[in-house]
């Protein structure tokens, strides 16, 4: 796939030229940020000469959940999203790592309370692995708080929620860091603007629980499963900010970010300030799983060119 725009994009069940997928400025999606989306990756396997979409059904289920919680009334179903995703990858003849974005949005020209019409688009673009996947990133604990479930639920993956992440990320970058870590309104660790967070201390892997103000991350779920299968002790619980500083290892996870080491937080080195052994082990397990190099649980890999 070329770095330039791909030939096709999906709009409402049709494969159309990429440039023609437009939205009206008076749509509730644009006026009020009323869109929900998924970001997922597809991985090319040289060994299998096939492309695998990672956790397609789970992403589609989360998209449907986001629409349900925002009362979107849509006339397409999950099977259509899955089918069109695969059609798009085949039609664009994607044979390299790709990032897929599925967006469902309030179209038309209604006000905040309308339920429809709901349109959807699916794109697949080249997205290289982050350059800091080995060396790790430096993070800032943000002075911006993660919005609470009774304000803007982080569980709903909607466009508007990303204003919160933008404020935090912008501040972090301006202050010379790579990424932000957000605390929730109770002062406990929540997540990054586009990732969940893990730390390792004395051999135990810890991550904020689902009630900490986080997205129900599929990568978080993947990493927890990979860790448990490898006999690593895991805990999902409330996490204090200073536990991160005191950790032996910290890393962030997400479909786009994959599994990125965090080597410094607020100028405090995490462990020796290098990617740690458990992070390395889980990174390797993750990369082998998503490319089909080791057996993935049923339903995690969807073959594009051989199914
Ligand atoms: C706010 C936020 N948290 C966590 C994640 C990680 O979620 P997932 O692993 O499902 O991509 C994302 C990425 O989608 C995100 O935007």
């Amino acid at each position: 796939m070329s770095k330039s725009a791909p030939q096709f994009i999906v709009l409402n069940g049709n494969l159309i030229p990429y440039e023609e997928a437009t939205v009206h400025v008076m749509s509730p999606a644009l006026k009020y940020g009323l869109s929900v989306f998924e970001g997922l990756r597809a991985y090319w396997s040289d060994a299998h000469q096939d492309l695998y979409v990672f956790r397609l059904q789970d992403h589609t289920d989360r998209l449907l959940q986001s629409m349900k919680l925002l009362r979107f009334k849509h006339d397409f179903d999950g099977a259509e999203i899955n089918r069109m995703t695969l059609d798009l990858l085949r039609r664009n003849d994607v044979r390299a790592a790709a990032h897929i974005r599925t967006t469902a949005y309030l179209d038309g020209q209604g006000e905040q309370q309308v339920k429809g019409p709901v349109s959807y688009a699916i794109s697949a673009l080249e997205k290289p692995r982050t350059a800091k996947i080995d060396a790790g990133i430096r993070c800032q604990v943000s002075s911006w708080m993660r919005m609470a479930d009774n304000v803007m639920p982080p569980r709903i993956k909607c466009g508007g929620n990303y204003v919160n992440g933008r404020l935090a990320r912008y501040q972090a970058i301006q202050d010379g860091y790579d990424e932000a870590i957000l605390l929730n309104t109770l002062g406990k660790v929540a997540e990054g603007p586009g990732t969940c967070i893990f730390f390792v201390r004395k051999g135990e892997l810890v991550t904020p629980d689902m009630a900490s103000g986080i997205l129900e991350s599929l990568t978080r779920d993947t990493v927890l499963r990979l860790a448990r299968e490898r006999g690593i002790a895991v805990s999902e619980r409330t996490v204090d900010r200073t536990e991160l500083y005191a950790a032996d290892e910290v890393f962030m996870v997400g479909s786009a970010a994959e599994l990125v080491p965090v080597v410094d937080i607020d100028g405090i080195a995490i462990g020796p300030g290098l990617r740690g052994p458990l992070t390395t082990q889980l990174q390797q397990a993750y990369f082998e799983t998503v490319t089909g190099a080791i057996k993935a649980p049923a339903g995690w890999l969807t073959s594009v060119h051989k199914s």
Side-chain angles (χ1 to χ4, degrees):
M1 191 172 24
S2 77
K3 278 208 181 351
S4 55
Q7 210 180 345
F8 295 103
I9 190 166
V10 172
L11 189 65
N12 293 331
N14 300 306
L15 286 157
I16 63 166
Y18 187 82
E19 299 70 30
E20 290 176 17
T22 56
V23 58
H24 201 278
V25 289
M26 294 305 284
S27 64
L30 195 71
K31 285 190 297 197
Y32 306 118
L34 285 166
S35 66
V36 300
F37 70 100
E38 286 299 316
L40 49 160
R41 276 190 184 263
Y43 291 89
W44 175 252
S45 164
D46 266 337
H48 302 169
Q49 288 295 298
D50 198 4
L51 187 75
Y52 294 118
V53 183
F54 190 59
R55 301 196 66 166
L56 174 60
Q57 184 63 55
D58 293 319
H59 279 282
T60 299
D61 288 346
R62 191 170 65 184
L63 185 83
L64 295 173
Q65 174 176 281
S66 294
M67 286 194 289
K68 177 180 175 183
L69 298 185
L70 282 181
R71 293 3 185 233
F72 282 18
K73 194 167 180 309
H74 51 95
D75 57 12
F76 53 89
D77 59 12
E80 179 173 331
I81 297 287
N82 293 346
R83 189 176 67 250
M84 292 311 300
T85 303
L86 299 177
D87 280 359
L88 175 71
L89 294 165
R90 290 183 191 124
R91 188 72 182 272
N92 281 334
D93 197 27
V94 178
R95 291 176 188 274
H99 185 257
I100 300 156
R101 178 176 283 256
T102 309
T103 308
Y105 55 95
L106 279 177
D107 214 340
Q109 305 199 8
E111 291 306 318
Q112 288 181 65
Q113 72 283 3
V114 297
K115 292 183 167 182
V118 178
S119 289
Y120 75 90
I122 308 172
S123 63
L125 300 172
E126 191 177 325
K127 189 172 178 93
R129 187 157 278 166
T130 164
K132 303 210 170 161
I133 201 88
D134 298 322
I137 56 174
R138 297 176 55 251
C139 290
Q140 175 187 55
V141 175
S142 186
S143 60
W144 294 98
M145 278 186 257
R146 190 76 181 133
M147 66 272 171
D149 187 66
N150 61 355
V151 180
M152 292 269 286
R155 180 168 283 101
I156 303 177
K157 196 168 167 59
C158 65
N161 276 1
Y162 287 76
V163 173
N164 179 238
R166 174 184 164 86
L167 291 167
R169 180 175 286 169
Y170 193 92
Q171 179 188 40
I173 291 171
Q174 199 170 34
D175 291 349
Y177 298 87
D178 299 306
E179 184 57 294
I181 296 169
L182 289 129
L183 306 182
N184 61 27
T185 49
L186 301 173
K188 303 297 180 184
V189 176
E191 62 181 348
T195 50
C196 282
I197 189 160
F198 284 82
F199 76 87
V200 179
R201 195 167 186 201
K202 299 192 172 89
E204 187 190 31
L205 184 64
V206 184
T207 192
D209 61 22
M210 283 297 184
S212 292
I214 64 171
L215 181 71
E216 292 179 339
S217 157
L218 293 165
T219 320
R220 175 185 178 281
D221 178 71
T222 301
V223 169
L224 284 171
R225 174 144 179 187
L226 293 177
R228 286 189 178 109
E229 283 173 359
R230 281 154 185 77
I232 298 164
V234 301
S235 171
E236 300 174 64
R237 62 167 173 79
T238 301
V239 172
D240 280 328
R241 170 185 192 155
T242 48
E243 288 188 277
L244 298 182
Y245 299 144
D248 302 318
E249 303 178 39
V250 176
F251 58 88
M252 296 176 112
V253 304
S255 300
E258 301 181 291
L259 204 157
V260 189
V262 174
V263 293
D264 182 294
I265 302 176
D266 293 338
I268 300 175
I270 304 305
L274 299 166
R275 175 175 58 184
L278 228 96
T279 307
T280 308
Q281 185 191 353
L282 289 168
Q283 255 186 348
Q284 194 183 342
Y286 186 77
F287 296 147
E288 287 176 353
T289 302
V290 295
T291 52
I294 57 175
K295 195 168 164 41
W300 280 15
L301 299 186
T302 303
S303 155
V304 173
H305 297 297
K306 293 191 177 167
S307 63

